[in-house]
Amino acid sequence: MSSFTTPLRVTPVDGEDNLWELLESFEYELGAKGSGNRVVCPAGERTDFASIPRILWAILPPWGKYGKAAVIHDHLCVFKCYHDVNNFPVYVTRAQGDAIFLEAMEVLGVHPFIRNTMYKFVRANSIIKGYK
């Protein structure tokens, strides 16, 4: 099963509302344990965690239990790839990146209703914006 292989360490970005910077590299391994396929978010990368409208933060904050999955998803949306066991880039579509987000939320133990709802909103947003 997939897993997060490093801790997530972030700091708020001065002067930016709800923007965080990774203090260290953050990694997520895809597929079976030991597969070597991984999403690597380097130190210095920025994230807003889950892009949830502020009006909903009281019930669904951007940095909830799904926060680590949101960081991985942000990375995939920008760089559109992960790295295989030989460190070669494997390019992903937006739909594949969204599916990795769903998988990562499951790994984190996010309640099925929350993870499926968030996944559906992410997919709808991707489709509205015309991403494949």
Side-chain angles (χ1 to χ4, degrees), residues 25-60:
S25 178
F26 176 59
E27 295 188 18
Y28 176 71
E29 186 173 39
L30 298 163
K33 187 174 182 178
S35 71
N37 295 324
R38 67 209 185 290
V39 178
V40 180
C41 306
E45 190 167 308
R46 292 181 173 192
T47 182
D48 66 352
F49 286 94
S51 301
I52 296 170
R54 186 176 292 274
I55 196 166
L56 299 176
W57 284 11
I59 56 172
L60 208 58

CSV table of all heavy atoms in Angstrom, one decimal, residues 25-60:
chain,number,residue,atom,x,y,z
A,25,SER,N,12.2,18.3,2.2
A,25,SER,CA,11.6,17.5,1.2
A,25,SER,C,10.5,16.6,1.8
A,25,SER,O,10.7,16.1,2.9
A,25,SER,CB,12.7,16.6,0.5
A,25,SER,OG,12.1,15.8,-0.5
A,26,PHE,N,9.4,16.4,1.1
A,26,PHE,CA,8.3,15.7,1.6
A,26,PHE,C,8.0,14.6,0.5
A,26,PHE,O,7.9,15.0,-0.7
A,26,PHE,CB,7.1,16.6,1.8
A,26,PHE,CG,5.8,15.9,2.2
A,26,PHE,CD1,5.8,15.1,3.3
A,26,PHE,CD2,4.7,16.1,1.5
A,26,PHE,CE1,4.6,14.5,3.7
A,26,PHE,CE2,3.5,15.5,1.8
A,26,PHE,CZ,3.5,14.7,3.0
A,27,GLU,N,7.8,13.3,0.9
A,27,GLU,CA,7.7,12.3,-0.1
A,27,GLU,C,6.5,11.4,0.2
A,27,GLU,O,6.1,11.1,1.3
A,27,GLU,CB,8.9,11.4,-0.2
A,27,GLU,CG,10.1,12.2,-0.7
A,27,GLU,CD,11.3,11.3,-1.0
A,27,GLU,OE1,11.2,10.1,-1.1
A,27,GLU,OE2,12.4,11.9,-1.1
A,28,TYR,N,5.9,10.9,-0.9
A,28,TYR,CA,4.8,9.9,-0.9
A,28,TYR,C,5.1,8.8,-1.9
A,28,TYR,O,5.4,9.1,-3.0
A,28,TYR,CB,3.5,10.7,-1.3
A,28,TYR,CG,2.3,9.8,-1.4
A,28,TYR,CD1,1.7,9.2,-0.2
A,28,TYR,CD2,1.7,9.5,-2.6
A,28,TYR,CE1,0.6,8.4,-0.3
A,28,TYR,CE2,0.6,8.7,-2.7
A,28,TYR,CZ,0.0,8.2,-1.5
A,28,TYR,OH,-1.1,7.4,-1.6
A,29,GLU,N,5.1,7.6,-1.4
A,29,GLU,CA,5.4,6.4,-2.2
A,29,GLU,C,4.1,5.9,-2.8
A,29,GLU,O,3.1,5.6,-2.0
A,29,GLU,CB,6.1,5.3,-1.4
A,29,GLU,CG,6.6,4.2,-2.3
A,29,GLU,CD,7.4,3.2,-1.6
A,29,GLU,OE1,7.2,2.9,-0.4
A,29,GLU,OE2,8.4,2.7,-2.2
A,30,LEU,N,4.0,5.7,-4.1
A,30,LEU,CA,2.8,5.2,-4.8
A,30,LEU,C,2.9,3.7,-4.9
A,30,LEU,O,3.9,3.1,-5.0
A,30,LEU,CB,2.8,5.8,-6.2
A,30,LEU,CG,2.7,7.3,-6.3
A,30,LEU,CD1,3.0,7.7,-7.7
A,30,LEU,CD2,1.3,7.7,-6.0
A,31,GLY,N,1.7,3.1,-4.9
A,31,GLY,CA,1.6,1.7,-5.1
A,31,GLY,C,2.1,0.8,-3.9
A,31,GLY,O,2.0,1.3,-2.8
A,32,ALA,N,2.6,-0.3,-4.2
A,32,ALA,CA,3.0,-1.3,-3.2
A,32,ALA,C,4.2,-0.7,-2.4
A,32,ALA,O,5.1,0.0,-3.0
A,32,ALA,CB,3.4,-2.6,-3.8
A,33,LYS,N,4.3,-1.0,-1.1
A,33,LYS,CA,5.5,-0.6,-0.3
A,33,LYS,C,6.8,-1.1,-1.0
A,33,LYS,O,6.9,-2.2,-1.4
A,33,LYS,CB,5.4,-1.2,1.1
A,33,LYS,CG,6.4,-0.7,2.0
A,33,LYS,CD,6.1,-1.1,3.4
A,33,LYS,CE,7.2,-0.5,4.4
A,33,LYS,NZ,6.9,-0.9,5.7
A,34,GLY,N,7.7,-0.2,-1.1
A,34,GLY,CA,9.0,-0.5,-1.7
A,34,GLY,C,9.0,-0.4,-3.2
A,34,GLY,O,10.0,-0.8,-3.9
A,35,SER,N,7.9,0.1,-3.8
A,35,SER,CA,7.8,0.2,-5.3
A,35,SER,C,8.9,1.2,-5.9
A,35,SER,O,9.3,1.0,-7.0
A,35,SER,CB,6.4,0.7,-5.7
A,35,SER,OG,6.3,2.1,-5.4
A,36,GLY,N,9.3,2.2,-5.1
A,36,GLY,CA,10.2,3.2,-5.6
A,36,GLY,C,9.6,4.3,-6.4
A,36,GLY,O,10.2,5.2,-6.7
A,37,ASN,N,8.3,4.2,-6.7
A,37,ASN,CA,7.6,5.2,-7.4
A,37,ASN,C,7.1,6.2,-6.3
A,37,ASN,O,6.5,5.9,-5.4
A,37,ASN,CB,6.3,4.7,-8.1
A,37,ASN,CG,6.7,3.7,-9.2
A,37,ASN,OD1,7.7,3.9,-9.9
A,37,ASN,ND2,5.9,2.7,-9.4
A,38,ARG,N,7.6,7.5,-6.5
A,38,ARG,CA,7.3,8.4,-5.4
A,38,ARG,C,7.1,9.9,-6.0
A,38,ARG,O,7.7,10.2,-7.0
A,38,ARG,CB,8.4,8.4,-4.4
A,38,ARG,CG,9.7,8.9,-4.9
A,38,ARG,CD,10.9,8.3,-4.3
A,38,ARG,NE,12.2,9.0,-4.7
A,38,ARG,CZ,12.7,8.8,-6.0
A,38,ARG,NH1,12.1,8.1,-6.9
A,38,ARG,NH2,13.8,9.4,-6.3
A,39,VAL,N,6.3,10.6,-5.2
A,39,VAL,CA,6.1,12.0,-5.5
A,39,VAL,C,7.0,12.7,-4.5
A,39,VAL,O,7.0,12.4,-3.3
A,39,VAL,CB,4.6,12.4,-5.2
A,39,VAL,CG1,4.5,13.9,-5.4
A,39,VAL,CG2,3.6,11.6,-6.0
A,40,VAL,N,7.9,13.5,-5.0
A,40,VAL,CA,8.9,14.2,-4.2
A,40,VAL,C,8.6,15.7,-4.3
A,40,VAL,O,8.7,16.3,-5.3
A,40,VAL,CB,10.3,13.9,-4.6
A,40,VAL,CG1,11.3,14.7,-3.8
A,40,VAL,CG2,10.6,12.5,-4.6
A,41,CYS,N,8.2,16.3,-3.2
A,41,CYS,CA,8.0,17.7,-3.0
A,41,CYS,C,9.2,18.3,-2.4
A,41,CYS,O,9.5,18.0,-1.2
A,41,CYS,CB,6.7,18.0,-2.2
A,41,CYS,SG,5.2,17.2,-2.7
A,42,PRO,N,10.0,19.1,-3.1
A,42,PRO,CA,11.3,19.6,-2.5
A,42,PRO,C,11.1,20.7,-1.5
A,42,PRO,O,10.1,21.4,-1.5
A,42,PRO,CB,12.0,20.1,-3.8
A,42,PRO,CG,11.0,20.5,-4.7
A,42,PRO,CD,9.8,19.5,-4.5
A,43,ALA,N,12.1,20.8,-0.6
A,43,ALA,CA,12.1,21.9,0.3
A,43,ALA,C,12.0,23.2,-0.5
A,43,ALA,O,12.5,23.4,-1.6
A,43,ALA,CB,13.4,21.9,1.1
A,44,GLY,N,11.2,24.2,0.1
A,44,GLY,CA,11.0,25.4,-0.6
A,44,GLY,C,9.7,25.5,-1.4
A,44,GLY,O,9.3,26.6,-1.8
A,45,GLU,N,9.2,24.3,-1.8
A,45,GLU,CA,7.9,24.3,-2.5
A,45,GLU,C,6.8,24.9,-1.7
A,45,GLU,O,6.8,24.8,-0.5
A,45,GLU,CB,7.6,22.9,-2.9
A,45,GLU,CG,6.4,22.8,-3.9
A,45,GLU,CD,6.3,21.4,-4.5
A,45,GLU,OE1,7.3,20.9,-5.0
A,45,GLU,OE2,5.2,20.9,-4.5
A,46,ARG,N,5.9,25.5,-2.3
A,46,ARG,CA,4.8,26.2,-1.6
A,46,ARG,C,3.4,25.5,-1.8
A,46,ARG,O,3.2,24.9,-2.9
A,46,ARG,CB,4.7,27.7,-2.0
A,46,ARG,CG,5.9,28.4,-1.5
A,46,ARG,CD,5.9,29.9,-1.9
A,46,ARG,NE,7.0,30.6,-1.2
A,46,ARG,CZ,7.1,31.9,-1.2
A,46,ARG,NH1,6.2,32.7,-1.7
A,46,ARG,NH2,8.1,32.4,-0.6
A,47,THR,N,2.6,25.6,-0.8
A,47,THR,CA,1.3,25.0,-0.9
A,47,THR,C,0.2,25.8,-0.1
A,47,THR,O,0.6,26.5,0.8
A,47,THR,CB,1.3,23.5,-0.3
A,47,THR,OG1,0.0,22.9,-0.4
A,47,THR,CG2,1.7,23.6,1.2
A,48,ASP,N,-1.0,25.7,-0.5
A,48,ASP,CA,-2.1,26.3,0.2
A,48,ASP,C,-2.9,25.2,0.9
A,48,ASP,O,-4.0,25.4,1.4
A,48,ASP,CB,-3.0,27.2,-0.6
A,48,ASP,CG,-3.7,26.4,-1.7
A,48,ASP,OD1,-3.5,25.2,-1.9
A,48,ASP,OD2,-4.6,27.1,-2.4
A,49,PHE,N,-2.4,24.0,0.9
A,49,PHE,CA,-3.0,22.8,1.4
A,49,PHE,C,-4.3,22.6,0.5
A,49,PHE,O,-4.2,22.7,-0.7
A,49,PHE,CB,-3.4,22.9,2.9
A,49,PHE,CG,-2.1,22.6,3.8
A,49,PHE,CD1,-1.4,23.7,4.2
A,49,PHE,CD2,-1.7,21.4,4.1
A,49,PHE,CE1,-0.2,23.5,5.0
A,49,PHE,CE2,-0.5,21.2,4.8
A,49,PHE,CZ,0.2,22.3,5.3
A,50,ALA,N,-5.4,22.3,1.1
A,50,ALA,CA,-6.6,22.1,0.3
A,50,ALA,C,-7.2,23.5,-0.1
A,50,ALA,O,-7.4,24.3,0.8
A,50,ALA,CB,-7.7,21.3,1.1
A,51,SER,N,-7.5,23.7,-1.3
A,51,SER,CA,-8.1,25.0,-1.8
A,51,SER,C,-9.6,25.0,-1.5
A,51,SER,O,-10.4,24.8,-2.4
A,51,SER,CB,-7.8,25.1,-3.3
A,51,SER,OG,-6.4,25.1,-3.5
A,52,ILE,N,-9.9,25.2,-0.3
A,52,ILE,CA,-11.3,25.3,0.2
A,52,ILE,C,-11.7,26.7,0.4
A,52,ILE,O,-11.0,27.4,1.1
A,52,ILE,CB,-11.5,24.4,1.5
A,52,ILE,CG1,-11.2,23.0,1.1
A,52,ILE,CG2,-12.9,24.6,2.0
A,52,ILE,CD1,-11.1,22.1,2.4
A,53,PRO,N,-12.9,27.1,-0.1
A,53,PRO,CA,-13.3,28.5,0.1
A,53,PRO,C,-13.4,28.8,1.6
A,53,PRO,O,-13.8,28.0,2.4
A,53,PRO,CB,-14.7,28.6,-0.5
A,53,PRO,CG,-14.7,27.4,-1.5
A,53,PRO,CD,-13.8,26.4,-0.9
A,54,ARG,N,-12.9,30.0,2.0
A,54,ARG,CA,-12.8,30.4,3.4
A,54,ARG,C,-14.1,30.2,4.1
A,54,ARG,O,-14.1,29.9,5.3
A,54,ARG,CB,-12.3,31.8,3.5
A,54,ARG,CG,-12.0,32.3,4.9
A,54,ARG,CD,-11.5,33.7,5.0
A,54,ARG,NE,-10.1,33.8,4.5
A,54,ARG,CZ,-9.0,33.5,5.3
A,54,ARG,NH1,-9.1,33.1,6.5
A,54,ARG,NH2,-7.8,33.7,4.7
A,55,ILE,N,-15.2,30.5,3.5
A,55,ILE,CA,-16.5,30.4,4.1
A,55,ILE,C,-16.8,29.0,4.7
A,55,ILE,O,-17.6,28.8,5.6
A,55,ILE,CB,-17.7,30.8,3.2
A,55,ILE,CG1,-18.9,31.1,4.0
A,55,ILE,CG2,-17.9,29.9,2.1
A,55,ILE,CD1,-20.0,31.9,3.2
A,56,LEU,N,-16.1,28.0,4.1
A,56,LEU,CA,-16.3,26.6,4.6
A,56,LEU,C,-15.3,26.1,5.6
A,56,LEU,O,-15.4,25.0,6.1
A,56,LEU,CB,-16.3,25.6,3.4
A,56,LEU,CG,-17.4,25.9,2.3
A,56,LEU,CD1,-17.2,25.0,1.1
A,56,LEU,CD2,-18.8,25.7,2.9
A,57,TRP,N,-14.3,26.9,5.9
A,57,TRP,CA,-13.2,26.5,6.8
A,57,TRP,C,-13.7,26.0,8.2
A,57,TRP,O,-13.0,25.2,8.8
A,57,TRP,CB,-12.2,27.6,7.0
A,57,TRP,CG,-11.3,27.8,5.8
A,57,TRP,CD1,-11.4,27.3,4.5
A,57,TRP,CD2,-10.2,28.7,5.7
A,57,TRP,NE1,-10.4,27.7,3.7
A,57,TRP,CE2,-9.6,28.6,4.4
A,57,TRP,CE3,-9.5,29.5,6.6
A,57,TRP,CZ2,-8.5,29.3,4.0
A,57,TRP,CZ3,-8.4,30.2,6.2
A,57,TRP,CH2,-7.9,30.1,4.9
A,58,ALA,N,-14.8,26.5,8.7
A,58,ALA,CA,-15.3,26.1,10.0
A,58,ALA,C,-15.6,24.6,10.0
A,58,ALA,O,-15.4,23.9,11.0
A,58,ALA,CB,-16.5,26.9,10.4
A,59,ILE,N,-16.1,24.1,8.9
A,59,ILE,CA,-16.4,22.7,8.8
A,59,ILE,C,-15.4,21.8,8.0
A,59,ILE,O,-15.3,20.6,8.2
A,59,ILE,CB,-17.8,22.5,8.2
A,59,ILE,CG1,-17.9,23.1,6.8
A,59,ILE,CG2,-18.9,23.0,9.1
A,59,ILE,CD1,-19.2,22.8,6.1
A,60,LEU,N,-14.6,22.5,7.1
A,60,LEU,CA,-13.6,21.8,6.3
A,60,LEU,C,-12.4,22.6,6.1
A,60,LEU,O,-12.3,23.3,5.1
A,60,LEU,CB,-14.3,21.4,5.0
A,60,LEU,CG,-13.8,20.2,4.2
A,60,LEU,CD1,-13.9,19.0,5.0
A,60,LEU,CD2,-14.6,20.1,2.9
